[in-house]
Amino acid sequence: MSSGPSRARGLVIPPGPTTQKRLVNKSKQTRKTVSRASTRKSRASRQQSAASNRGVGGVTEGQSSESESEAESVLRQRDSRSDFLDFPGVDITNEKDWDTDIEIEEAVTAYDHSGKTMYVEACRKFNVVPASYFLRHMGDATLSMRHHGLAGDGMRAVAASLVSNATINSLDISDNWLGLEGGTAVCQMLKENCFITDLNLSDNRLNVCAEELCQVVEQNDTLRRVNLSGNQFDDQCAVHLAELIMNTHKLESLNLSHNNLGEKSGVLLGPAISENLCLKELDLSWNHLRRKGAMAVAAGIKTNVYMKKVNLSWNGFGLEGSLALADALKTNNVLEEMDIMNNRITTEGAVLIGKGLSLNETLKVFKIGKNPMQSAGCWAIAAAILKNPNIVLQKVDFTDVMVNKDFVDIWKQVEEVFPSLKMVHGGTEPPLKPKKRVHPMVKVTAYINSHNIRLVDFFNQFDKDGSMNVTREEFRQGIMETGLGLTDEEVEILVNELDADGDGAINYSELAIGHSDFEERERKISTQLRPMTS
């Protein structure tokens, strides 16, 4: 029958074990890749070839369905074996297990967001030992490198890595004495870094690069809080600091405390503070602001419409500055916290500031302690608070100022009106000790000495009949007539001491003995109190 040979010619004999092993090894060596589309195309061509062979070999429509089923089964077996041989261990239905010959894999190097690679290279370049603490914490959002001695090349290496660091938002490199070289490196870094928002550069002697530093901070759009405390900024640096305060548009907090900003600096900074439209906090404590400088700063605060917190403590505002501060408190309707502790504010200055406080409706925290205003100044502040029904104060600080009973009484009234208002003071003054009672004989002795008379002459003023003996009543009346200024109680004490025998009369001898005994007691007391000398 012709159908048998036709089917034989159309089929592919499966390879034996040896041939199959050789094909698998060949596939592993060449590692050919084919696409899913090419696989489907080859499978379709084989099916088409099988169909044509059936037609050429004389297979007619009249042939039995068993022959067709058998052929299709053999074809399926052949295709499955062929797929297994061509792609050993690969599931072509899974996209992860196959690839095309045009997809070229390339090694991808991950970007170093921490800048460690750059830091190591910079340390090698500047010949410095890498800081292990810096390497361990370069990926943190907050990094503190205080007291690490990063002057010169050490800061250059750190700055080089911070240029590309994208993780650190808060950086503290205070107390490293950066000086000119380190400060310049920081300035170059800030020109490129756009991730640091909080920067602490305190105690680094940056007065030598004040101009460049102020320009860089002014132009940086990322920084929000900058601490420049303790950098020896003086009146010459104040020119650049004033430019920074006036022109910055992003900075929210600036700390210029513990510097050498004097009266001239205050004159420069005052107008800049008035023009600033972004600073919420300004710290000028521990400087030398006084007289015209203090008045200029207070005038700047008066017209500032954005600042919430200002610290002017440990300066020298005095009476002139107190008057300017009072004016600022009357006008400013934005400020919420003011610290003017230790500013040489006297009682009169506190009274002036109280007048400004009586009209303020925004201040929440007011610190005025450590000033020589005494309890009377505190009383004036309390009285001003009582006069202002719209005041929103939450805390008043009178640290280290002793208060008396009068202040305690008025503050009780304040607490009744504003029960949530907290107050701190330096303690209550102790009650005054009663004056030591002066012995009546002291006044008698003083009278005799001042009138340059003898004791007997003094007694003769009472002894009208010259008997050298007077009654208690005569002595009492004579004492009152001399104008000694003795009270009735003191006269009674003197009479009782002189009439020692209780006979109701005082003679001259009793007066002389009493006066002599008193002088002897006084002499012993003065001898005991006299300091010993070699």
Side-chain angles (χ1 to χ4, degrees), residues 368-369 373 378 381 396-401 407 411 423-426:
I368 193 175
M373 60 185 184
C378 298
I381 298 295
V396 179
D397 192 334
F398 298 119
T399 299
D400 289 350
V401 181
F407 173 80
W411 192 259
M423 184 269 298
V424 179
H425 59 72

Side-chain angles (χ1 to χ4, degrees), residues 190-207:
L190 291 177
K191 292 179 181 179
E192 303 294 335
N193 187 285
C194 57
F195 296 95
I196 297 176
T197 60
D198 193 335
L199 179 62
N200 188 345
L201 293 173
S202 60
D203 301 316
N204 276 305
R205 297 188 174 187
L206 297 178
N207 58 315

Side-chain angles (χ1 to χ4, degrees), residues 419-444:
S420 61
L421 177 57
K422 306 298 181 183
M423 184 269 298
V424 179
H425 59 72
T428 306
E429 295 177 357
L432 296 177
K433 295 181 179 180
K435 293 183 179 179
K436 185 179 181 180
R437 181 175 296 177
V438 179
H439 196 279
M441 191 59 74
V442 175
K443 296 183 179 181
V444 173

